[in-house]
Amino acid sequence: MGPALVTPHVLTVDAGIKDLRAADHLLHALAAELALPEGAFGCTHLVRGDRPRVALSLTLPSQPLLRTAQERLTGQGYEVTGGAPDAAGRAVVYPGVSSLTGTLTIAELLTRSAIDRVTVLGATDQASPDARLMTQNHVRPQWNDGQLVLTAMPAAGGVLVPFEVPNPTPCCADHSTTQH
């Protein structure tokens, strides 16, 4: 699918969310509620400063859709502003994401979705088109210089997996029962 060829229309939704999992959940809920079209993008953005949080951005294919979304979200009490918080959003909702299930080749992933390229941690080259990626049904690419880039890492069995795992183990999760 590649990058969008039309000028995007972007808005930011600040719901005061503190973690990525809750932000992902809200993005999916808003995409369904607003009936976002196939060409829409929903991203998370880490906001630093006095009030660290995760803001959401929605990129819609037309100004009328943007206005409608802004009116509905504002009417629900969300803080909504024009533009994106930054250029490095983490894509959660994007064209083709629903087809990225199971194990796919990199070529299939690139053909089925808006992802432009796949990089592999520790490698100097891009991932081979015939390399297999076990998606774990959780593919979160990030915007980098105007391209949607998925970072992957090698896994057991000679496959790749997305760098971001669906259910990360919190730091120190198993330390609470360890005796010193």
Side-chain angles (χ1 to χ4, degrees), residues 49-114:
D50 295 344
R51 196 172 56 102
R53 62 203 180 280
V54 181
L56 313 176
S57 69
L58 297 175
T59 303
L60 302 168
S62 73
Q63 189 63 33
L65 287 172
L66 183 80
R67 272 195 304 273
T68 300
Q70 188 166 11
E71 289 168 6
R72 289 180 64 190
L73 293 167
T74 302
Q76 293 176 22
Y78 291 109
E79 182 182 322
V80 181
T81 57
D86 58 46
R90 171 183 160 272
V92 176
V93 174
Y94 52 94
V97 66
S98 63
S99 70
L100 303 181
T101 60
T103 300
L104 307 168
T105 65
I106 298 302
E108 289 171 324
L109 176 125
L110 296 174
T111 300
R112 292 180 183 185
S113 73

Side-chain angles (χ1 to χ4, degrees), residues 151-171:
T151 301
M153 59 186 178
V159 299
L160 298 171
V161 293
F163 177 69
E164 182 180 330
V165 296
N167 296 303
T169 302
C171 177

Side-chain angles (χ1 to χ4, degrees), residues 113-158:
S113 73
I115 297 172
D116 295 300
R117 63 186 171 95
V118 178
T119 61
V120 180
L121 286 178
T124 55
D125 297 327
Q126 291 186 40
S128 168
D130 60 345
R132 295 176 318 134
L133 179 88
M134 187 170 43
T135 68
Q136 303 172 73
N137 300 336
H138 188 84
V139 181
R140 301 290 190 264
Q142 291 199 332
W143 289 105
N144 184 352
D145 291 329
Q147 289 191 316
L148 200 53
V149 180
L150 177 66
T151 301
M153 59 186 178

